[in-house]
Amino acid sequence: MARKTVNDDPLASVTLAVGQEELLLDRAVREVVAAARAADADTDVRELTPEQLQPGTLAELTSPSLFAERKVVVVRNAQDLSADTVKDVKAYLAAPAEEITLVLLHAGGAKGKGLLDAARKAGAREVACPKMTKPADRLAFVRQEFRVLGRSATPEACQALVDAIGSDLRELASAVSQLVADVEGTIDEAVVGRYYTGRAEASSFTVADRAVEGRAAEALEALRWSLATGVAPVLITSALAQGVRAIGKLSSARGGRPADLARELGMPPWKIDRVRQQMRGWTPDGVALALRAVAEADAGVKGGGDDPEYALEKAVVTIARAARSRGRT
């Protein structure tokens, strides 16, 4: 969930949205635009990439207007701005224009840190939009979505939804909205099952589970069904990567109770038990081989190959074979 600073006025002169979670970044922009248009329905909204924001462009966009119109200027990937443009932005931060809201979307990290520090020093309203890489974060996100929409859902229902949909926050948010619109009363696991059982069976995580268990035929069947039902290839490579990395993490961890390992490895206890069952047959060499296969598939589905489906099939077969590497000669 996006976290905000004490200055929570969306019409603040400058809003700084920091992180790499696209859904949260887009929501931060929409909140500012909605507030601006509530104040002035004719608000002019300009969204710019680093290539579009050349030296002098910001001064032109924020110069006084004859009609004193309200503007929202959104700069995406602000960490990639050129040095000369960063100077323009820093100068603007020192004396922001009235009736104009500047929204800087910044990935965080070391790149472009000078601009990040300058915006914070200038008192920008900040919205944190961190990438949700942990299952616990996505589970908390789903719970918060239900709360924001004024509905209650059982913990089992929230977990079932995350298991069925996977890691895409846009799809999780959409699923919550659909359930809230269609179902009266408390949303429980049975309701989620009725809506998303088919999706769960064809999800990217099912593909990954069957692959790391060494069940190549079932993994390929789930893969083809997932692709046929519109699951994005990048979600499948992400799930495969998570599955193999979980095997590697747990195999190299010290023994202990699921709860202790969960804290050490950043996994929920239920997943510790599942991965323990899946890791039989794996060797360190098998994990390394599987990770290389995932990296190659990821490059293939992101434009590095001619056939993303073949790249995924190759990765699934390689991972399934690696899962049976122990004891092979």
Side-chain angles (χ1 to χ4, degrees):
M1 295 142 293
R3 298 187 300 275
K4 302 172 186 175
T5 55
V6 175
N7 177 10
D8 196 24
D9 180 6
L11 291 181
S13 297
V14 181
T15 286
L16 179 65
V18 184
Q20 299 179 42
E21 191 59 71
E22 291 296 330
L23 173 66
L24 302 183
L25 291 167
D26 287 346
R27 284 184 173 181
V29 173
R30 287 202 301 270
E31 182 183 26
V32 171
V33 172
R37 286 185 169 155
D40 181 353
D42 295 325
T43 294
D44 181 23
V45 178
R46 304 290 183 91
E47 292 207 21
L48 302 167
T49 63
E51 295 76 20
Q52 294 170 319
L53 192 64
Q54 297 297 318
T57 304
L58 184 62
E60 180 181 342
L61 288 173
T62 57
S63 61
S65 168
L66 178 63
F67 303 102
E69 64 181 355
R70 181 178 290 277
K71 287 184 182 178
V72 175
V73 178
V74 180
V75 180
R76 293 188 176 272
N77 299 314
Q79 73 279 355
D80 295 329
L81 291 173
S82 69
D84 288 339
T85 304
V86 167
K87 291 179 183 178
D88 286 355
V89 176
K90 287 182 177 180
Y92 177 82
L93 292 172
E98 293 185 10
E99 301 298 313
I100 293 177
T101 298
L102 176 65
V103 183
L104 299 173
L105 306 188
H106 194 294
K111 187 176 183 181
K113 190 173 183 296
L115 177 59
L116 195 62
D117 292 341
R120 286 169 171 161
K121 186 176 180 180
R125 167 182 177 259
E126 185 169 343
V127 182
C129 307
K131 195 74 175 174
M132 295 190 183
T133 58
K134 297 180 180 179
D137 292 337
R138 294 191 288 272
L139 184 59
F141 171 79
V142 167
R143 290 171 175 164
Q144 179 66 13
E145 290 291 290
F146 279 118
R147 281 195 292 269
V148 167
L149 294 174
R151 294 294 297 279
S152 60
T154 66
E156 295 79 10
C158 294
Q159 184 65 66
L161 197 58
V162 172
D163 289 343
I165 300 299
S167 61
D168 191 296
L169 289 201
R170 293 184 190 278
E171 294 192 17
L172 285 170
S174 177
V176 170
S177 297
Q178 181 180 11
L179 289 169
V180 168
D182 293 355
V183 180
E184 296 182 358
T186 299
I187 295 164
D188 59 20
E189 188 175 11
V191 170
V192 174
R194 286 200 302 272
Y195 272 74
Y196 294 104
T197 293
R199 175 61 182 274
E201 290 171 352
S203 74
S204 54
F205 287 98
T206 299
V207 178
D209 285 341
R210 298 297 85 80
V212 299
E213 290 162 6
R215 296 152 66 178
E218 294 177 39
L220 287 171
E221 181 181 1
L223 170 64
R224 289 160 187 158
W225 183 249
S226 295
L227 294 172
T229 55
V231 177
V234 291
L235 295 182
I236 299 173
T237 55
S238 175
L240 290 170
Q242 289 183 49
V244 175
R245 287 183 188 129
I247 297 287
K249 283 183 178 180
L250 192 56
S251 63
S252 62
R254 299 185 302 274
R257 298 178 304 168
D260 296 331
L261 287 170
R263 285 191 293 271
E264 179 183 343
L265 302 178
M267 299 181 192
W270 62 265
K271 188 163 186 179
I272 296 292
D273 292 333
R274 177 184 292 179
V275 175
R276 272 178 168 165
Q277 294 174 355
Q278 293 173 333
M279 63 188 288
R280 298 167 187 161
W282 280 92
T283 65
D285 287 344
V287 172
L289 176 65
L291 286 174
R292 286 197 297 272
V294 171
E296 290 174 2
D298 188 58
V301 303
K302 291 179 178 176
D306 297 329
D307 190 342
E309 184 173 338
Y310 172 74
L312 287 169
E313 288 182 356
K314 182 180 177 183
V316 164
V317 170
T318 301
I319 293 168
R321 287 176 179 169
R324 300 193 302 272
S325 58
R326 188 179 297 278
R328 296 173 61 186
T329 57

